[in-house]
Amino acid sequence: MSWLVTGAGGMLGRDVAARLAAEGVPAVAVTRADLDITDPDAVRSCLAAHRPAVVVNCAAWTDVDGAEDREAAALAVNGTGARNVAEACKESGAVLLHMSTDYVFAGDATLPYAEDAPTAPRSAYGRTKLAGERAVLELLPETGHVVRTAWLYGAGGPNFVRTMIRLEAARDTLDVVDDQIGQPTWSADLADLLVRLGQAAVAGTVPAGVHHGTSRGETTWYGFTREIFRLLGADADRVRPTDSGAFARPAPRPSYSVLGHEGWRDTGIEPLRDWREALVEAFPALMEAERGTGATGR
């Protein structure tokens, strides 16, 4: 059973490719330079050449703020690009695991968003990702799997944890927002979940549809940073709480990004562990990555 990973130059794509290699699963990992998913002919040719049983689409426009000024460009990747991949999977019979985001929701809830909760994106990025979700679910009702994630971090790319590790050494104090709630999620943990999901999808033991790939538990960016400082052996009181108004951004940030995991109940697949447990295991690789050794996960 061969796999194809798109967007393999990114943080999650690297970890998915590494996880497949660790399990001895034949896989082809293509970066943006190898495959532009906005080109339908290129996508079709790629799948025809490699004939994968499973495609993991990690290719995406991820510049949340940039999408506000360039929504058409973001949509070309996140919406039309996802449709191109889904159409090629439909033609070839491949299972598709397509990555999406908490930004498809309004972000104003008080309880975790269920997989079937109404979507209402408030940003251009969220709108473009929702377009991709809809294309996958429309074209692949039996073999399309949308996996939403949030607050992703890992050793293989820039992210919040690596930034805080760097800033702890550079600043006496840090002001971090305490009015946005979410689920820090390690990309290596998510990669493992995706591999298990793909295997189950091919075996026919998990239905197509929407899944939530985030860690258990919840915290704020402020609480997350205090835990990072604790693991660094630094004084967590150097982290000071503030509100979102202190960091104005072009795209609105969800105040509540917690995703529910009830959909995994009948699949036989265990949801991701608590975010604190994952962060402890991930931390050595994150530290090494900041020191320039290039560690990329487990």
Side-chain angles (χ1 to χ4, degrees), residues 2-4 47 50-56 85-97 139-140 142-145 201-202:
S2 63
W3 291 50
L4 174 70
L47 265 70
H50 298 296
R51 303 178 65 183
V54 180
V55 175
V56 186
V85 175
E87 287 178 338
C89 287
K90 183 177 181 179
E91 292 177 9
S92 68
V95 167
L96 175 59
L97 311 184
L139 290 166
L140 300 171
E142 303 297 328
T143 56
H145 298 260
V202 170

Side-chain angles (χ1 to χ4, degrees), residues 7-22:
M11 182 171 61
L12 178 60
R14 291 182 184 183
D15 278 344
V16 172
R19 189 63 184 169
L20 290 168

Side-chain angles (χ1 to χ4, degrees), residues 3 5 12-13 15-16 19-20 54-58 97-99 145-149 152 187-201 211 213 264 269 272:
W3 291 50
V5 182
L12 178 60
D15 278 344
V16 172
R19 189 63 184 169
L20 290 168
V54 180
V55 175
V56 186
N57 184 31
C58 297
L97 311 184
H98 173 71
M99 298 310 304
H145 298 260
V146 170
V147 183
R148 296 174 181 143
T149 193
L152 202 63
S187 56
D189 268 2
L190 179 55
D192 178 72
L193 180 69
L194 291 170
V195 172
R196 288 184 281 133
L197 175 60
Q199 292 168 336
H211 316 277
W264 296 108
I269 299 175
L272 298 184

Side-chain angles (χ1 to χ4, degrees), residues 4 13 32 42 45 59-60 133 143 156 159 205 214 222 225 227 248 252 264 270-271 296:
L4 174 70
R32 180 182 177 184
S45 296
E133 286 193 8
T143 56
N159 58 82
T205 59
T214 51
Y222 166 72
T225 305
E227 188 66 12
W264 296 108
E270 184 71 15
T296 56

Side-chain angles (χ1 to χ4, degrees), residues 213-294:
T214 51
S215 293
R216 297 174 187 169
E218 61 183 61
T219 188
T220 65
W221 292 113
Y222 166 72
F224 190 18
T225 305
R226 286 180 62 89
E227 188 66 12
I228 293 166
F229 269 50
R230 187 186 71 80
L231 292 174
L232 287 168
D235 181 4
D237 288 338
R238 290 167 53 202
V239 183
R240 304 183 305 191
T242 189
D243 60 34
S244 299
F247 297 95
R249 299 278 191 85
R253 265 48 179 182
S255 61
Y256 189 83
S257 294
V258 180
L259 303 182
H261 304 131
E262 290 301 312
W264 296 108
R265 178 178 296 174
D266 300 323
T267 67
I269 299 175
E270 184 71 15
L272 298 184
R273 56 185 160 171
D274 185 83
W275 70 269
R276 295 175 187 83
E277 180 184 348
L279 181 62
V280 169
E281 185 177 339
F283 214 72
L286 292 160
M287 289 287 292
E288 289 177 9
E290 276 306 297
R291 292 172 181 149
T293 59

